[in-house]
Amino acid sequence: MDEPVDYGELGAYLERSRGLPTVGVRTPYHSTWLDNSKARFLLGWRPRYDLRRMTDEAWSYQRAPGDPRVIWYPG
């Protein structure tokens, strides 16, 4: 992605696509945009994921049966 995650938009997408309820949270904080113009200009980089694809990929991810969960920091 080349823009910050908008959690309101993410919640709305999860509500539409999976019927999950959302809760609004007021906060004085704002997202931070990262400047990727140099990667675009010099490398021809373009994002392959948008909010919808990132959400769908994360939601459908399943760990392989032989891939144990490792907890590096238990605290």
Side-chain angles (χ1 to χ4, degrees), residues 20-48:
L20 297 173
T22 61
V23 176
V25 177
R26 291 186 182 269
T27 178
Y29 302 105
H30 301 280
S31 299
T32 301
W33 282 75
L34 301 176
D35 184 4
N36 56 29
S37 57
K38 189 171 185 178
R40 287 175 177 262
F41 178 72
L42 295 176
L43 305 173
W45 178 84
R46 297 290 182 266
R48 289 187 225 157

